[in-house]
Amino acid sequence: MAIEPRGRVQIDPNECKGCGLCIDACPPRCLVFEAELSPYGVHPARYVGSGCTGCGICFYVCPEPGAITVYRVSPPPKVISATEAGRAATL
Amino acid sequence: MAEYEVVHSKSPVFYPVYERKADLQHQTHYCPGCGHGVVHKLIAETIADLDLQDRTIFVSPVGCSVFAYYYFDVGNVQAAHGRASAVATALKRACPESIVIAYQGDGDLAAIGTAEIVHAANRGEPITVFFINNAIYGMTGGQMAPTTLVGQTTTTTPWGRRPENEGFPLRVCELLATLEAPVYIERVALSDNKNIMKARKAIRKALELQRDGAGFSLVEILSPCPTIWKMTPTEARDWVAEHMIRNFPLGVFRDRKVKMPESSRPPRRTVAEVLGLADAPAEAETPATRSADAREWKIKIAGFGGQGVLLLGQILAEMGMREGKEVSWLPSYGPEMRSGSAHCHVCLSSKRIGSPLIEHPNVLVAMNEISLRKFAPSVVPGGMILYNRRTVPADVEIPNVRVFAIPASELADQLGAAKVGNIVMLGALLELTGALSSATAETVLQGTVKNSDLLALDLQALHAGRDYVRQLPLEAR
């Protein structure tokens, strides 16, 4: 089984203007230009799906306020509340 | 399956949807790779982290970032070109609890706004200025800016900037760091990840200092402009590193506590106290002279400079003040002191006055024919015109407006000085409108005119105007 990446990045293809700064800045080089043009006529950035460390550099070099959202693996919760425990049990 | 949590996402300090062109409300108007967006994000993040959103006022400039108010969900003011730090000064002084940010580009701050930024910094205004330097005029299409590098080609320096003709790039941080008052000045750059994080730290520090009431802070951010520089976004970012930083060295130019020296403060006194009216018996405040007139007067007084047009307006305004009215006086005059045209607007009201500007007066005092012809059509129906001649030109006819020919200058001349024609007009105006009492006029004249001979003449003129109206046939009034 593959190791779960530490992070995950989500790029909104409608907000991305395809400047490529995030692709150039990404340390693990896990962002690429989308082959297809977006409705706005640019090749938006796309996460290849693995390798993200959740470092957030792509977020800070990106000029668009909401184009990039970065996720990171949550640290294991120390105390689980009753509702969360209940929800986890049903999943 | 691992659980993920959001660590970086759109700041709540940005509006969820931008109120701009219909199809583009989800993205900014900035070009791909523009530095503005990055700085916007850093500022927004800091505002959110420091919990300042509810009390931040963002002053946007003229330039590409003119539309910053589309994006920041804070208080917004858009200033005239170069004046952001002056506007920020006013906002901070009026609302000292607010966090006031002036956001300016190099064309705005370092060219047309040089005076404003130097003086705001020199006064130590406790505002924060974010100065975006991309070495060019971006919005207008790439003309040379004061910060353009030597040899850099622009549309106005097609063979490169030559210092012998255009001077050297202006280093704003270094310049301002020679002043006493600023507490924090730093230059950062958007050249790479590391420097962007330094910029983030500097922006945070500047806003923390303002939050703590420290004083004037400025962060200069060297920023790429790929479109105008005709580069790809990554090339532009590298150009910042290779060329801009070499000419504009990064670093902290000022970081110190500034203690303003103790100086004697002017006493806090009311206007009445300063004018010496507080000790005098409050005759103007007695019910006898308090105006019972509830009408709203919008009076426009127009004539040549030197006819006492502005003074007449001031006297009316002061009379209104003494009778407990809300008043405003707004002068307007050409560059000539004499024989140019001058006019002023006076509002007298029992309610608060929204605007001192009068487009449609209900009283027009026209001291010459030009003014009569120019402003008569703007008088509201039911209003009146006082014209400084024995007869009104036959072709001037304003329906539903009463026109009175009051030969004020002529009457004043008969008294010995044509210059008191404005006071003759005052006497006539008071008699015709009943807006204010002539006793108040005498009180104001006694306070204004120090020369006793001239005062006597003014009082004669006041009565002459009143008497002229009284002798008019009743049906003409």
Side-chain angles (χ1 to χ4, degrees):
Chain A
M1 185 184 132
I3 300 162
E4 287 282 356
R6 275 182 288 159
R8 187 156 69 77
V9 56
Q10 187 182 312
I11 296 167
D12 178 350
N14 286 320
E15 189 162 347
C16 175
K17 290 172 177 166
C19 73
L21 288 175
C22 58
I23 296 170
D24 199 65
C26 175
R29 324 249 358 125
C30 62
L31 300 174
V32 293
F33 282 114
E34 183 71 74
E36 301 289 316
L37 286 176
S38 77
Y40 296 95
V42 300
H43 294 282
R46 178 172 65 84
Y47 175 43
V48 296
S50 62
C52 178
T53 62
C55 71
I57 285 173
C58 56
F59 177 82
Y60 285 107
V61 300
C62 172
E64 283 297 309
I68 295 181
T69 307
V70 180
Y71 300 79
R72 210 176 283 164
V73 175
S74 314
K78 292 195 173 69
V79 182
I80 299 175
S81 73
T83 48
E84 275 172 349
R87 201 178 46 156
T90 59
L91 288 175
Chain B
M1 178 95 186
E3 289 279 334
Y4 288 96
E5 63 182 2
V6 173
V7 282
H8 299 291
S9 62
K10 185 172 173 177
S11 168
V13 171
F14 290 115
Y15 288 109
V17 174
Y18 313 130
E19 205 175 304
R20 55 184 297 252
K21 287 174 189 153
D23 296 341
L24 297 167
Q25 300 198 333
H26 59 286
Q27 52 176 229
T28 66
H29 71 289
Y30 297 118
C31 304
C34 175
H36 278 307
V38 175
V39 181
H40 281 22
K41 283 168 79 172
L42 298 177
I43 294 172
E45 183 188 52
T46 307
I47 290 172
D49 288 354
L50 301 181
D51 197 18
L52 301 175
Q53 186 173 9
D54 286 348
R55 56 188 183 112
T56 295
I57 305 176
F58 194 99
V59 186
S60 35
V62 168
C64 288
S65 50
V66 63
F67 293 131
Y69 53 80
Y70 282 156
Y71 312 121
F72 286 97
D73 185 5
V74 296
N76 283 284
V77 176
Q78 196 276 311
H81 202 0
R83 275 58 179 175
S85 37
V87 172
T89 296
L91 290 166
K92 186 70 181 182
R93 289 191 176 197
C95 316
E97 294 306 310
S98 296
I99 299 295
V100 180
I101 296 172
Y103 186 101
Q104 301 182 258
D106 49 317
D108 190 79
L109 179 141
I112 192 168
T114 323
E116 281 74 10
I117 189 63
V118 169
H119 290 291
N122 192 42
R123 292 189 305 266
E125 300 294 343
I127 59 172
T128 302
V129 180
F130 294 123
F131 168 40
I132 315 300
N133 179 359
N134 60 12
I136 204 143
Y137 277 81
M139 186 185 79
T140 51
Q143 294 80 3
M144 192 200 85
T147 45
T148 294
L149 306 185
V150 171
Q152 186 182 344
T153 54
T154 69
T155 59
T156 45
T157 57
W159 296 279
R161 181 178 189 164
R162 293 163 56 238
E164 59 266 49
N165 199 48
E166 290 98 32
F168 290 91
L170 200 64
R171 296 196 179 106
V172 170
C173 287
E174 286 84 340
L175 195 70
L176 297 182
T178 64
L179 303 172
E180 278 304 316
V183 296
Y184 176 56
I185 298 174
E186 179 166 0
R187 183 184 287 126
V188 295
L190 304 181
S191 53
D192 53 60
N193 311 343
K194 215 168 148 186
N195 274 326
I196 289 173
M197 295 324 275
K198 281 189 183 168
R200 177 173 178 257
K201 217 172 127 192
I203 287 168
R204 177 172 293 251
K205 178 163 181 173
L207 288 177
E208 281 172 347
L209 283 168
Q210 183 176 172
R211 180 196 61 191
D212 301 339
F216 179 87
S217 54
L218 178 139
V219 179
E220 174 176 346
I221 300 137
L222 304 181
S223 178
C225 181
T227 301
I228 298 295
W229 292 354
K230 299 184 175 61
M231 296 178 193
T232 66
T234 45
E235 285 167 357
R237 196 194 49 191
D238 295 343
W239 199 83
V240 172
E242 285 159 28
H243 298 275
M244 286 198 74
I245 293 177
R246 196 172 299 162
N247 285 273
F248 296 105
L250 304 186
V252 178
F253 293 85
R254 172 64 60 84
D255 188 6
R256 69 177 188 203
K257 281 205 174 84
V258 173
K259 201 171 181 304
M260 289 291 176
E262 285 292 324
S263 52
S264 57
R265 287 176 176 277
R268 282 193 166 270
R269 291 190 295 169
T270 64
V271 174
E273 284 166 346
V274 172
L275 295 175
L277 303 173
D279 304 332
E283 49 186 309
E285 292 300 322
T286 56
T289 53
R290 180 174 283 275
S291 172
D293 184 63
R295 286 171 293 177
E296 210 172 329
W297 293 101
K298 295 185 170 187
I299 306 170
K300 185 172 238 170
I301 306 161
F304 292 128
Q307 283 186 314
V309 162
L310 304 185
L311 180 64
L312 174 53
Q314 280 178 322
I315 290 170
L316 275 170
E318 191 180 331
M319 286 172 62
M321 220 169 354
R322 283 177 182 261
E323 294 197 12
K325 285 178 179 295
E326 298 283 334
V327 304
S328 68
W329 171 76
L330 182 73
S332 163
Y333 41 86
E336 313 91 336
M337 289 307 287
R338 279 188 184 274
S339 73
S341 77
H343 67 264
C344 68
H345 309 228
V346 177
C347 296
L348 305 170
S349 177
S350 53
K351 293 190 266 297
R352 288 189 75 171
I353 295 164
S355 166
L357 188 73
I358 299 172
E359 280 182 51
H360 298 288
N362 52 21
V363 178
L364 170 67
V365 177
M367 295 298 285
N368 61 26
E369 191 179 332
I370 299 170
S371 304
L372 176 73
R373 291 187 183 279
K374 186 171 175 191
F375 295 117
S378 68
V379 178
V380 293
M384 67 169 80
I385 296 174
L386 284 72
Y387 176 51
N388 183 21
R389 277 283 184 284
R390 277 198 185 274
T391 52
V392 178
D395 59 327
V396 173
E397 202 179 322
I398 316 294
N400 299 319
V401 171
R402 292 175 299 157
V403 184
F404 298 99
I406 314 284
S409 294
E410 188 188 318
L411 292 171
D413 204 33
Q414 287 164 11
L415 292 172
K419 66 178 175 181
V420 295
N422 58 342
I423 306 298
V424 176
M425 219 33 134
L426 175 64
L429 186 145
L430 297 178
E431 186 64 23
L432 283 167
T433 62
L436 298 159
S437 96
S438 68
T440 315
E442 291 181 20
T443 313
V444 170
L445 286 171
Q446 278 155 8
T448 312
V449 184
K450 300 298 173 202
N451 180 315
S452 58
D453 293 343
L454 196 56
L455 177 62
L457 191 63
D458 274 331
L459 295 177
Q460 279 181 341
L462 189 69
H463 298 149
R466 181 194 63 197
D467 296 343
Y468 186 83
V469 170
R470 285 186 181 168
Q471 59 78 40
L472 286 174
L474 266 182
E475 64 272 17
R477 280 195 243 167

